[in-house]
Amino acid sequence: MNNNERQFAKFVRGIKFDDTPDSDHRDQLEQELVAALTEQPKQEVALLQTWRTIMKSRIAKVGTAAAAIIIGGLIGIHHLGGSIDGASVAWAGALKKIQNAKTLTWKTSFMLEGEELWVMRAMVLEPHYRRFELPDGRIWILDYRRGKAVILDPSNNTFTIQSTITEENQDIYNTFRGFQNTRGYSAKRIGERQINEKKTIGFHLSKEDQNADDIHIWVDPQTQLPIQIEGTFETAPGRVFQLVTTEIVFDSELDQSLFSLEPPAGYERQQQEPAPLLQRNPELANRAKPAARAKHVAVVNRLKSAANLDRILKACRKYVEEHNGQWPDSLEGLTRYGLDKQVFLNPSWPMREVGYIYLKPPAQSKDRRIVLYEAYGVWESGINVGFTDYRVQFINDESDFQKLLGHK
Amino acid sequence: MADAGRLIAEAHNNPAAFVQLYRRHYDAVFRYCVHRLFERQTAEDVTSEVFLKVVQNFARFDGENEQQFRNWLYRIATNAVNNHLRKTARRSGLLQRLSERTVHQTVNCQRPTERKLKLLKEAVFGLKPRYQTIITLRFFENLKLTEIAEVLGSSPGTVRSQLARALAKLRRKLAPDFTDYI
């Protein structure tokens, strides 16, 4: 270690990180891995981490994220090439209207597997106030100027106070700057759609990074303002949830009393930290479970199927090595390489007689081409595909798959 | 190490052996993620992503010993962390600031330490992802230059010069604030 390194090592030595591993997370992940590695999950798997995240999140964070999506989406359309109608002057007017708006209200639905799990309503009164109405009836009112929040619980006439809210995070229009500086986005028009009997124009915002989250925005062509915003977020492979923001209204009349930090008469103060939403509402958590589990099973099956293809391809490789570069005529002869019948069944469709389609490539073929893929009826989120280089790849897009097959 | 080699060979066909490998390496991967991301909940999510990718790709891992396995894990973790940082960077500074607040909440024991952590985070996030990786592997995971070179698929000489450049940048950013770093 040279002198520079020693000095830096000394500098970081005294810094305390919160880096002690959490055994709960370790055990929960272990269960998921075991489920992925073995035939059947041995224990009920835990909720998706998405839900863990929501459970642990303060509602302000979720609400502010929704605001960021609204504003950021609009900026994305305007600045990244997907102009609503090319009329930048009109857009500039809309932008000004947004920037000068004194209030903003919206509704955000949290969706999993197409099912609406819960709905949050939010109100903003510039410059300092936010109000979030949760599906369990609780109401969070935040005053960033005073750095204070009150959480009302009408179910038992209690309230709690938090005095750790900081000013720095709270101007929603700050998000303009964040998105304006973002690179790598592209925006394209995706046609029209009627939403609540109103014509809207759709835009798809995506990032070049293929793993990036997707945002769809439906805009009123007359006012240039958003009608509906759908954000799809993948927090881990196969773990997808959706935020759908609707009823977006700028500059509506909002009574100042909605943002009062004074609890209603008769409310009693509670001292403890307010519980996160799902932790406090097991019924909501239970609603999340079946869908979450279904998604988990889909991911596990996808992994298992990829493992099947991998084993079949390994057997093919042995066959090719033994037969001077010739691939087998069918998969049937491969059982002599130690493959059991189960490996030819796609775990996602165990009742189907043919789990995988085999395409015999020419002998000594140098091209990388598809030799094996999951039999499918309707294209859903994608399929596993095996190639002549004996590798397995999950392909999301059907048109990509068809191109690789040489059908397009 | 012979035992570790056997464990890796076994893990290809035996889920129990794989779980044993997982248990041996979970802490290191989690700590690496925390030290890169400065936020434990995100680090847990990324750690999950890393091990699910490991399950998905384990058939292709052709290393024979545990050190190669560990380097492979760091490589996957580095890609996952970099992907995560790329994704979150565009969601405005807003959520990032919220996560900073989380860091503050978790280290609210001593003010100077807290300030140091915040400045370190800002300084490290100002570096290229590759430099961030090198700094973390060297000073938090205590890897040798040769080991870092293996993780990054690079030569030790290149890693050495990149480390020097990264340190020079950090020094420029941090030195005005900390006399003990000069």
Side-chain angles (χ1 to χ4, degrees):
Chain A
M1 212 181 250
N2 64 30
N3 203 30
N4 256 346
E5 291 181 39
R6 265 195 297 277
Q7 282 185 340
F8 186 71
K10 185 180 161 202
F11 174 78
V12 298
R13 204 172 296 141
I15 296 179
K16 168 140 181 54
F17 270 89
D18 180 18
D19 62 359
T20 307
D22 174 2
S23 58
D24 284 349
H25 178 258
R26 187 170 41 212
D27 295 346
Q28 180 188 319
L29 177 58
E30 185 180 310
Q31 283 181 34
E32 289 191 39
L33 297 178
V34 169
L37 287 161
T38 55
E39 280 302 305
Q40 294 295 329
K42 286 182 179 164
Q43 298 176 37
E44 182 177 293
V45 293
L47 285 175
L48 285 178
Q49 282 177 343
T50 300
W51 293 104
R52 190 162 57 80
T53 305
I54 290 172
M55 283 167 72
K56 286 185 178 177
S57 296
R58 291 182 188 285
I59 197 65
K61 184 173 174 177
V62 176
T64 318
I69 290 166
I70 292 171
I71 304 301
L74 292 167
I75 286 295
I77 289 174
H78 183 57
H79 286 273
L80 304 168
S83 172
I84 291 170
D85 58 0
S88 57
V89 175
W91 168 255
L95 200 62
K96 197 171 174 187
K97 189 175 173 186
I98 294 170
Q99 281 176 312
N100 292 333
K102 293 289 177 227
T103 70
L104 170 62
T105 59
W106 72 89
K107 178 183 113 172
T108 297
S109 303
F110 290 75
M111 316 281 290
L112 190 66
E113 300 270 296
E115 187 192 356
E116 188 180 78
L117 288 173
W118 54 278
V119 171
M120 181 190 73
R121 289 185 179 276
M123 299 176 194
V124 174
L125 176 62
E126 287 296 306
H128 307 299
Y129 303 103
R130 305 285 181 274
R131 176 186 171 103
F132 299 108
E133 297 175 358
L134 274 62
D136 62 359
R138 281 186 299 169
I139 299 165
W140 289 57
I141 301 167
L142 300 94
D143 177 345
Y144 292 113
R145 184 173 48 87
R146 293 166 64 185
K148 192 174 165 186
V150 61
I151 298 103
L152 305 174
D153 189 345
S155 68
N156 55 11
N157 286 1
T158 58
F159 70 97
T160 43
I161 289 181
Q162 290 201 331
S163 49
T164 54
I165 312 295
T166 54
E167 177 70 34
E168 59 173 343
N169 302 317
Q170 308 316 326
D171 176 1
I172 60 168
Y173 301 119
N174 272 341
T175 57
F176 276 104
R177 290 197 284 276
F179 276 84
Q180 276 173 317
N181 293 332
T182 299
R183 293 178 196 280
Y185 255 129
S186 64
K188 62 176 181 187
R189 282 182 69 148
I190 51 170
E192 296 177 359
R193 188 162 120 189
Q194 290 287 121
I195 297 177
N196 297 332
E197 298 177 358
K198 195 173 235 175
K199 183 179 128 182
T200 63
I201 302 173
F203 293 85
H204 176 208
L205 262 69
S206 60
K207 215 177 173 193
E208 286 155 13
D209 173 0
Q210 57 172 357
N211 293 320
D213 307 325
D214 273 344
I215 299 175
H216 288 87
I217 301 181
W218 301 92
V219 177
D220 181 335
Q222 287 179 333
T223 64
Q224 318 267 303
L225 296 176
I227 301 288
Q228 183 161 314
I229 300 175
E230 300 151 4
T232 304
F233 303 94
E234 187 169 13
T235 56
R239 298 178 171 189
V240 178
F241 74 101
Q242 201 182 27
L243 292 181
V244 180
T245 298
T246 54
E247 300 178 24
I248 305 160
V249 182
F250 292 93
D251 258 344
S252 63
E253 286 290 323
L254 291 179
D255 195 310
Q256 179 88 32
S257 64
L258 288 167
F259 302 90
S260 169
L261 293 186
E262 284 303 312
Y267 272 55
E268 251 180 57
R269 183 169 177 177
Q270 299 273 50
Q271 292 300 334
Q272 73 267 30
E273 179 93 351
L277 180 68
L278 293 185
Q279 189 175 308
R280 186 174 174 275
N281 296 274
E283 193 222 343
L284 278 172
N286 283 333
R287 288 185 65 200
K289 266 184 185 175
R293 290 180 61 197
K295 174 57 81 179
H296 172 86
V297 169
V299 173
V300 168
N301 284 340
R302 184 170 129 186
L303 293 175
K304 281 185 192 170
S305 182
N308 282 351
L309 289 181
D310 193 59
R311 289 180 64 196
I312 295 169
L313 288 171
K314 278 196 170 92
C316 285
R317 182 177 220 154
K318 283 182 189 160
Y319 184 98
V320 169
E321 284 167 0
E322 289 171 8
H323 293 80
N324 200 26
Q326 287 280 354
W327 285 70
D329 290 324
S330 72
L331 300 180
E332 285 164 16
L334 296 176
T335 46
R336 68 188 178 90
Y337 294 102
L339 298 180
D340 53 58
K341 284 183 181 169
Q342 206 65 20
V343 87
F344 297 104
L345 297 178
N346 182 345
S348 300
W349 305 99
M351 302 306 284
R352 282 190 185 162
E353 205 173 318
V354 180
Y356 305 103
I357 308 290
Y358 172 67
L359 303 170
K360 183 185 175 184
Q364 313 285 2
S365 170
K366 299 278 183 213
D367 299 338
R368 185 177 191 255
R369 58 170 70 197
I370 292 175
V371 285
L372 201 58
Y373 62 90
E374 291 175 359
Y376 67 95
V378 177
W379 188 276
E380 290 175 352
S381 60
I383 60 169
N384 285 298
V385 175
F387 289 86
T388 42
D389 59 3
Y390 309 107
R391 289 185 180 276
V392 179
Q393 189 182 333
F394 187 81
I395 297 179
N396 302 94
D397 192 321
E398 188 176 16
S399 60
D400 289 346
F401 171 67
Q402 293 293 345
K403 270 184 215 160
L404 287 165
L405 271 183
H407 291 175
K408 277 188 181 174
Chain B
M1 279 326 260
D3 172 47
R6 262 203 309 278
L7 189 61
I8 284 170
E10 270 182 48
H12 281 284
N13 300 310
N14 179 357
F18 184 89
V19 167
Q20 221 176 317
L21 262 185
Y22 160 75
R23 284 189 194 142
R24 284 190 190 187
H25 293 276
Y26 172 92
D27 287 7
V29 171
F30 169 73
R31 287 205 173 95
Y32 171 71
C33 291
V34 169
H35 296 146
R36 283 289 314 272
L37 294 162
F38 292 80
E39 210 267 305
R40 68 170 300 127
Q41 193 173 316
T42 311
E44 285 180 356
D45 290 344
V46 174
T47 302
S48 299
E49 198 179 319
V50 168
F51 280 104
L52 283 165
K53 282 202 171 121
V54 167
V55 168
Q56 230 166 347
N57 295 301
F58 191 57
R60 292 178 211 152
F61 172 68
D62 54 4
E64 291 167 358
N65 59 48
E66 203 142 348
Q67 191 174 338
Q68 287 171 328
F69 181 68
R70 185 198 64 173
N71 290 346
W72 186 58
L73 283 179
Y74 277 135
R75 211 154 36 232
I76 293 174
T78 298
N79 288 336
V81 167
N82 290 344
N83 273 341
H84 178 85
L85 290 174
R86 265 201 301 276
K87 273 191 202 179
T88 50
R90 74 185 157 82
R91 286 190 203 158
S92 79
L94 195 71
L95 294 177
Q96 205 162 329
R97 287 199 295 275
L98 281 163
S99 73
E100 274 170 22
R101 199 169 61 180
T102 311
V103 170
H104 284 195
Q105 284 166 355
T106 56
V107 293
N108 59 1
C109 41
Q110 292 175 343
R111 280 206 169 276
T113 309
E114 190 180 314
R115 188 165 152 260
K116 257 186 166 183
L117 182 63
K118 183 176 185 293
L119 289 171
L120 176 69
K121 179 185 174 180
E122 284 168 5
V124 170
F125 276 2
L127 299 174
K128 291 178 187 171
R130 188 177 180 85
Y131 289 4
Q132 292 179 29
T133 305
I134 292 172
I135 289 291
T136 308
L137 290 174
R138 184 78 181 107
F139 295 101
F140 294 98
E141 315 316 318
N142 298 316
L143 263 60
K144 295 174 191 160
L145 292 182
T146 48
E147 293 172 324
I148 298 172
E150 276 177 39
V151 170
L152 295 175
S154 185
S155 72
T158 304
V159 171
R160 184 178 295 111
S161 60
Q162 288 176 333
L163 175 64
R165 278 200 289 274
L167 280 174
K169 280 177 193 285
L170 288 175
R171 191 186 177 89
R172 273 199 296 278
K173 284 186 181 170
L174 294 169
D177 290 292
F178 293 106
T179 49
D180 61 347
Y181 185 33
I182 299 174

